[in-house]
């Protein structure tokens, strides 16, 4: 995925973007962008942090997951907010971004070319 991504109308990934640094994500997303036709979509299912912390079950689950990613899975990985994902997408050329919260932990992110 750091060298190339197979071409397709849509590319789906789950729990991939969380485990890499911002620069590594940009490389992955750029390769996805280059492999998609006009109107194609990158769809990612990832944990997405809220912009503001609160004491909700969702926030607690996400913050605990973020600690897990940072300490056990990959020290350079991290959870991100919707805005951070949006900024990463725009930086590689995706003009459209939508987020769909599907449960307390995962959000489906749609990046449209």
């Amino acid at each position: 995925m750091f060298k190339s991504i197979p071409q397709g109308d849509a590319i789906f990934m789950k729990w991939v973007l969380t485990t890499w640094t911002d620069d590594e994500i940009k490389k992955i997303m750029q390769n996805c962008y280059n492999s998609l036709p006009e109107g194609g979509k990158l769809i990612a299912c990832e944990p997405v942090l809220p912009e503001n912390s609160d004491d909700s079950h969702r926030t607690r689950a996400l913050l605990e997951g973020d600690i897990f990613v940072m300490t056990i899975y990959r020290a350079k990985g991290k959870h991100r907010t919707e805005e951070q994902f949006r900024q990463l997408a725009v930086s590689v050329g995706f003009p459209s971004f939508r987020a769909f919260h599907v449960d307390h932990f995962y959000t489906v992110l749609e990046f449209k070319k």
Side-chain angles (χ1 to χ4, degrees):
M1 68 187 161
F2 290 108
K3 293 182 181 181
S4 68
I5 301 282
Q7 292 184 348
D9 294 333
I11 298 166
F12 178 81
M13 57 182 66
K14 180 179 178 186
W15 197 267
V16 172
L17 302 179
T18 297
T19 59
W20 302 102
T21 66
D22 287 350
D23 288 338
E24 290 166 327
I25 288 176
K26 286 180 186 178
K27 181 66 176 165
I28 294 166
M29 292 177 84
Q30 184 67 59
N31 287 340
C32 290
Y33 183 88
N34 293 339
S35 295
L36 291 167
E38 198 62 37
K41 296 178 182 180
L42 166 59
I43 302 163
C45 187
E46 302 286 338
V48 175
L49 290 174
E51 294 294 332
N52 299 304
S53 249
D54 58 30
D55 62 353
S56 69
H57 180 73
R58 179 176 182 271
T59 298
R60 285 194 318 270
L62 288 166
L63 292 175
E64 288 170 5
D66 195 34
I67 291 168
F68 173 76
V69 167
M70 290 186 301
T71 59
I72 298 172
Y73 190 67
R74 186 168 197 259
K76 294 180 181 180
K78 66 179 182 178
H79 290 350
R80 292 168 178 83
T81 65
E82 277 184 42
E83 184 56 31
Q84 289 171 318
F85 278 115
R86 182 185 319 277
Q87 289 173 5
L88 289 165
V90 167
S91 75
V92 299
F94 283 101
S96 176
F97 169 83
R98 294 190 306 170
F100 307 91
H101 300 278
V102 293
D103 65 15
H104 289 302
F105 199 73
Y106 286 108
T107 301
V108 174
L109 306 170
E110 178 189 83
F111 309 96
K112 188 173 179 184
K113 186 170 177 181

